[in-house]
Amino acid sequence: MNFLIRLLVTALAAMLSAYVLPGVTIKDFTTALVLALVLAILNLLVKPILIILTLPATIITLGLFLLVINAIIILLASNLVKGFKVDGFWWALIFSLVLTVVSGFMHSIAGGDND
């Protein structure tokens, strides 16, 4: 049940973030739900591999390279989800930052788990 709530909150946060950013478009809420699911899968499967492969760059940049990895995940999701479009790397980077802040705020309001 917690996964479904997180998925809905992330989809709503993605819609809100796309509304604010002119370089990102999401067709409708169904597309946002699919995007949230694809992002969850990519963050589960692809992101750890990218983090391990880019560990030296991440260490040298004191962790800031993780922002680049997040942008790459967003661009990959843009290629996988029809109806979700990002106009470039910088918009993907900004979208990932805004999505993180908005979804974190919304999760705290929704009463996220206390573990």
Side-chain angles (χ1 to χ4, degrees):
M1 187 67 167
N2 189 24
F3 176 73
L4 291 175
I5 292 171
R6 293 184 73 80
L7 204 63
L8 288 171
V9 168
T10 302
L12 189 59
M15 286 291 293
L16 184 62
S17 299
Y19 179 75
V20 171
L21 299 172
V24 180
T25 56
I26 297 177
K27 189 172 89 172
D28 55 7
F29 189 72
T30 305
T31 304
L33 278 174
V34 172
L35 173 66
L37 184 61
V38 167
L39 284 175
I41 292 169
L42 288 174
N43 283 331
L44 181 70
L45 299 176
V46 177
K47 190 173 182 178
I49 295 169
L50 287 176
I51 289 173
I52 290 171
L53 291 176
T54 61
L55 194 58
T58 304
I59 292 171
I60 289 172
T61 62
L62 302 175
L64 290 176
F65 196 76
L66 292 175
L67 296 173
V68 173
I69 292 175
N70 286 341
I72 291 170
I73 295 292
I74 296 293
L75 288 171
L76 187 57
S78 174
N79 289 331
L80 295 174
V81 178
K82 302 298 179 210
F84 173 59
K85 183 177 176 265
V86 179
D87 287 341
F89 174 79
W90 294 109
W91 284 115
L93 183 67
I94 294 168
F95 178 75
S96 70
L97 290 171
V98 172
L99 181 66
T100 301
V101 170
V102 171
S103 64
F105 179 71
M106 292 174 72
H107 284 298
S108 68
I109 289 176
D113 46 32
N114 295 326
D115 40 47

